Amino acid sequence: MSRIGVFICHCGHNIAGTVDVAAVAERVGADEVVVFATDYKYMCSDPGQELIREMIAEHNLDGVVVAACSPAMHETTFRRTVAGAGLNPYRCESANIREQVSWVHEKDKEAATTKAAAIALSIAHKVGGNEPLEPLELSVTRRALVIGGGIAGLQAALDVADAGYPVYLVEKEGSLGGKMARLSGTYLNFDAAPALLQRTIERVERHPYIQVLTKAEVAELSGYVGNFKARVETAEAAPTNGRIPYTLEIGAVMVATGWERYDLGRLPEYGGGGLPDVVDGLTFEQMLAADTIRRPSDGRVPREVVFVQCAGSRDPEHGVPYCSKICCMVTAKQARLYRERVPEGQAYVFYIDIRSAGKGYEEFVQETIQTKEVLYLRGKVSKIFADGGQTIVWGVDTLSGRAVEIAADLVVLATPMLAADGAPALAQRLRISTDAHGFFNEAHPKLRPVETLTAGIFLAGAGQGPKDIPETIAQASGAAAKVLQLFSHETMTQSPLVATVVPELCAACGACVAACPYGARELHPVLNIATVNAALCQSCGACVVACPNKASQVHNWRPGQMLEMVDAVMEIGD
């Protein structure tokens, strides 16, 4: 018979303000598996943790339940506490009576108290069946792979290499730099882009710890965090198929595949793909980089230039529903540079609203309007068409309530940033996910913004979603920091709460192999049973659901434990 101790936390008034914690301790303490139950104001405090250690020794406890906040908050804290008292940490669990009870039932204290007792007792019965597990220890290959040679990939590679670890940088194009290489300058600091990028590329190409593979793509990735194998194919001359395969042994992957341009042909109402003097932002960047700005149709210097914001963005019916985040600032920069290069010219900007969130960004836009005399018109453009040698723009100024017609020499469309070509296919090869628009999904938008749900694979730059250069560089350095954290030890530990197989029940049907989204299952060729690669397993439980014989189970979440928990809840309910 297990000897379980249950500790009920007040969490100040967060729990005790709704739940009668003393009554919970009394009801739980009456159960046969619970030999000690008490309540305390703050279990996570030093005195609260000391109380747990003292009671483990005094009552010879072999399991501990702390009924408090979410396990995500302090379960690791309490497991360290019991480990310090000589108890196996996996014989300790948290029962969530704050988020799941007091915060959602504050108007019914009696029901909240009953529910809190039921949850605490169910976890006590579960802990009684927990195995005393030990963390898994895995070796770490301290080499990194960066996919993508834009500014995000360059920065991530440099950060890891500067720390003394080898990096493979794979770029599908023939040169490094990505979309940033096509910019004439950056906003706030016009001359920074070319010089900054060139210096960064030179550092990467000369770095002793970075190996650059251009015209290359990742064809396959196998293995698990700390021990991946990547098959990379390059387009160099080769005896077969014109591609040379490389097998790279790495410990972590940083995905920095960048973004793709929006096809102007999808904007026929704006003359996209049909009118030569209707261009997108990157094309205009190339025009700005030339000695003289000349329009494509006849080479003349444009005297009237119209910039159209949100051309395809924030338009779920005809374009994409999201904001590309950078367009307002890029348009302000381009209009400003145009006025400086063609002082006698006039620039117009049609906009829905101006999103200039960033240090110095709003000031930059206002200075563009006031000192460069760029005319901003709040309203949508309805149609763009050719008439004679000019491009006619029909729009509306909603502030004055008037229709606007401009005979323009050149129209620049601020089109959306799209996910890179092939991103969904690459995601499948890496076993990571993408959103509805093809951008790679982060593990958590706030708490884990550079991680994916596949351990050891990290995100950097616009492949995760639209962002400008400063944010891209910051995220790349964040991803590199996660890799360096992984590489800081020769070995790594992993939770042992992974799937397992009961050999006597396994029929080798393969249902679990097909169900596992992480490739952690396979059939043993000799034993003819399913096996689990514990390093790949993410404890999702898909194999448990798929197995018809209940041979697939997760450590400390076995069917017998689940039934014990149900019985405990029913006991409180009675």
Side-chain angles (χ1 to χ4, degrees), residues 525-545:
V526 177
L527 300 179
N528 199 33
I529 60 172
T531 59
V532 180
N533 185 329
L536 286 174
C537 179
Q538 300 294 308
S539 309
C540 68
C543 57
V544 177
V545 177

Side-chain angles (χ1 to χ4, degrees), residues 119-332:
I119 290 176
L121 188 59
S122 70
I123 298 298
H125 278 260
K126 177 184 180 300
V127 169
N130 278 5
E131 303 168 83
L133 303 172
E134 295 296 331
L136 304 174
E137 189 170 283
L138 308 172
S139 62
V140 176
T141 301
R142 296 195 283 184
R143 288 187 294 272
L145 170 65
V146 177
I147 305 175
I151 187 61
L154 296 172
Q155 185 66 46
L158 282 171
D159 285 350
V160 174
D162 284 346
Y165 299 108
V167 177
Y168 300 105
L169 177 58
V170 174
E171 167 56 46
K172 69 176 182 179
E173 302 295 339
S175 59
L176 301 176
K179 297 293 190 297
M180 186 173 172
R182 306 184 191 181
L183 302 183
S184 61
T186 57
Y187 42 80
L188 303 186
N189 186 351
F190 292 115
D191 299 325
L196 168 65
L197 184 62
Q198 189 56 41
R199 288 196 303 269
T200 304
I201 292 174
E202 290 173 358
R203 283 187 62 202
V204 166
E205 291 176 337
R206 294 198 304 260
H207 205 292
Y209 287 111
I210 300 178
Q211 180 179 348
V212 177
L213 298 172
T214 54
K215 296 183 179 179
E217 295 188 62
V218 176
E220 182 182 353
L221 184 74
S222 60
Y224 49 89
V225 56
N227 293 274
F228 291 111
K229 284 188 178 181
R231 183 165 62 85
V232 176
E233 296 180 351
T234 72
E236 301 171 15
T240 59
N241 300 325
R243 302 186 72 83
I244 298 177
Y246 293 87
T247 298
L248 309 178
E249 294 185 355
I250 51 179
V253 180
M254 290 176 283
V255 185
T257 52
W259 58 281
E260 195 49 69
R261 302 166 76 165
Y262 191 81
D263 181 9
L264 288 183
R266 296 172 61 181
L267 297 168
E269 69 275 17
Y270 288 167
L275 302 182
D277 293 328
V278 175
V279 300
D280 65 7
L282 272 182
T283 301
F284 191 64
E285 287 287 338
Q286 296 169 344
M287 297 166 65
L288 289 170
D291 293 333
T292 304
I293 300 175
R294 299 187 182 278
R295 69 180 189 174
S297 61
D298 55 13
R300 289 177 45 222
V301 176
R303 304 297 178 184
E304 302 275 324
V305 177
V306 174
F307 296 87
V308 181
Q309 295 275 61
C310 299
S313 294
R314 302 165 67 186
D315 186 355
E317 293 185 7
H318 304 100
V320 300
Y322 56 84
C323 169
S324 289
K325 201 173 185 177
I326 68 168
C327 308
C328 291
M329 294 302 299
V330 170
T331 295

Side-chain angles (χ1 to χ4, degrees), residues 52-123:
I52 294 174
R53 286 189 287 265
E54 290 175 355
M55 294 303 104
I56 289 174
E58 181 177 331
H59 295 276
N60 193 28
L61 302 179
D62 63 7
V64 167
V65 174
V66 182
C69 54
S70 165
M73 294 290 291
H74 284 301
E75 188 168 70
T76 301
T77 301
F78 297 129
R79 282 181 171 169
R80 284 198 300 262
T81 299
V82 303
L87 188 65
N88 185 281
Y90 296 97
R91 294 275 298 176
C92 171
E93 293 200 15
S94 292
N96 188 349
I97 63 170
R98 187 180 71 176
E99 287 83 350
Q100 293 183 358
V101 181
S102 65
W103 282 1
V104 292
H105 299 296
E106 59 183 14
K107 294 182 179 180
D108 192 342
K109 294 187 177 183
E110 183 178 349
T113 300
T114 300
K115 182 178 178 181
I119 290 176
L121 188 59
S122 70
I123 298 298

